Amino acid sequence: MSELRLLDDRRTLPIGVFDSGVGGLTVLHELLVWLPHEDFVYLGDTARFPYGERSRDELERFALQIAQLLVQRGAKLLVVACNAATAAALPALESRLSRLAPELAVLGVVGPGCRLASNATASGRIGLLGTTATVLSGAYKRGLRACSEDLTLTSVACPDLAPIVQAGFPFDQRVVDTVRGYCRPLRSANVDTVILGCTHYPLVAPMLQRSLGPAVRLIAAGAAVAGEVQRVLDAQHLTNPRPDEGDYRFLCTGDVASFRDLGTRFLQMPLGEVEHVDLDAEMAA
Ligand code: DGL
């Protein structure tokens, strides 16, 4: 009986999701839509937002610290919802966790985005919009090369865009001008598919689509990430057996009130409980 009982218990544990702040709630949104029976615990590292201008060393350190906390909080699988953290830190995170928690699967957003883009393109010319850390990491280039040798990637680092989107409600002409500026090199490169390589960009998808033109396919990885999570849960026999909707709750490292304010817009669902966490104190304990 005890083995069966243990398996049952792990199935009812939450999925851990983390990001540099509220942006990853666009990914959590898709997870909640496509995996309605699962519980989720989401950590937004709002005190250290933005991640997009940080170094690989910092991102590896942050990702490992957060992953350890989510493991302590009982996560049965981890989703790195942040593009910058996935691009810069996923390999290091996988290798550390394979020693610390070998049974724990860790999924990022780059692989699913590359596979979607590779399937969507007809011309083989793909564009990437992302933060500086994401573009410099070369992770999307490597991910697309793993899909096919025949793809060319035009990458545009957009250092201003995530902070502007985050601060920019209601959107004004400055947001439109910023979006247009970053789309210009992609229009010149005549791409037919554009990867939204940052969690904030789905919020400006209408502006991006208008600037790039209706023939260009925009790729956001959230729904594909949900599909990959489902496949891993099935393979590991970890799908939550509950018949009703799961719970979701939030941890953030910065101000709880502003997480709640901004978060509802990114999640497009009610937010519920938000707990402040001090990562350094938790790790020292
Ligand atoms: N979550 C980050 C990403 O997807 C948003 C931007 C940032 O933190 O700089 O890259």
Side-chain angles (χ1 to χ4, degrees):
M1 110 87 196
S2 57
E3 209 175 299
L4 195 62
R5 181 74 206 130
L6 271 178
L7 190 63
D8 255 16
D9 287 345
R10 280 205 76 210
R11 284 167 16 182
T12 57
L13 292 172
I15 294 171
V17 182
F18 72 89
D19 179 58
S20 58
V22 289
L25 295 171
T26 59
V27 177
L28 181 66
H29 169 92
E30 297 295 341
L31 294 167
L32 291 173
V33 167
W34 297 110
L35 305 167
H37 307 301
E38 296 296 336
D39 290 349
F40 292 91
V41 52
Y42 177 100
L43 188 143
D45 193 4
T46 42
R48 299 188 292 203
F49 173 86
Y51 275 12
E53 301 301 306
R54 292 193 180 266
S55 69
R56 177 183 297 275
D57 279 358
E58 282 178 304
L59 293 175
E60 287 182 355
R61 189 158 50 78
F62 296 171
L64 189 64
Q65 205 179 27
I66 295 168
Q68 280 174 317
L69 180 89
L70 291 172
V71 170
Q72 278 169 16
R73 300 283 177 120
K76 65 179 174 184
L77 179 149
L78 287 184
V79 176
V80 187
C82 178
N83 287 264
T86 301
L90 188 64
L93 192 57
E94 283 172 333
S95 105
R96 284 299 293 278
L97 287 175
S98 67
R99 294 195 294 276
L100 292 175
E103 71 294 345
L104 189 83
V106 192
L107 305 182
V109 288
V110 172
C114 288
R115 288 186 277 283
L116 276 181
S118 160
N119 289 335
T121 184
S123 68
R125 286 188 298 279
I126 295 175
L128 167 69
L129 297 169
T131 62
T132 307
T134 295
V135 169
L136 284 182
S137 75
Y140 275 99
K141 205 170 214 142
R142 288 191 295 279
L144 287 171
R145 202 176 305 124
C147 296
S148 163
E149 290 289 335
D150 300 326
L151 304 172
T152 57
L153 180 67
T154 303
S155 302
V156 181
C158 314
D160 301 340
L161 195 50
I164 283 180
V165 169
Q166 184 148 322
F169 293 102
F171 292 136
D172 58 13
Q173 194 56 36
R174 191 166 79 112
V175 185
V176 178
D177 292 342
T178 307
V179 164
R180 274 200 198 126
Y182 287 134
C183 286
R184 212 162 287 131
L186 300 182
R187 284 205 308 272
S188 305
N190 204 17
V191 299
D192 70 353
T193 302
V194 172
I195 299 170
L196 306 186
C198 172
T199 50
H200 286 59
Y201 303 168
L203 271 78
V204 286
M207 285 178 233
L208 289 164
Q209 190 75 68
R210 186 166 148 84
S211 180
L212 291 163
V216 171
R217 177 92 184 267
L218 299 184
I219 303 291
V225 173
E228 297 213 358
V229 169
Q230 185 63 72
R231 277 190 287 284
V232 172
L233 292 178
D234 287 345
Q236 297 191 338
H237 308 288
L238 282 179
T239 300
N240 196 317
R242 70 191 292 167
D244 54 346
E245 285 178 20
D247 296 324
Y248 51 94
R249 64 205 160 82
F250 302 90
L251 311 172
C252 78
T253 57
D255 181 55
V256 167
S258 48
F259 185 93
R260 215 189 285 281
D261 265 8
L262 277 169
T264 324
R265 296 183 190 140
F266 281 77
L267 189 64
Q268 296 171 56
M269 290 190 198
L271 222 56
E273 187 197 323
V274 184
E275 175 192 337
H276 178 265
V277 284
D278 179 335
L279 286 170
D280 291 328
E282 298 256 351
M283 289 303 111

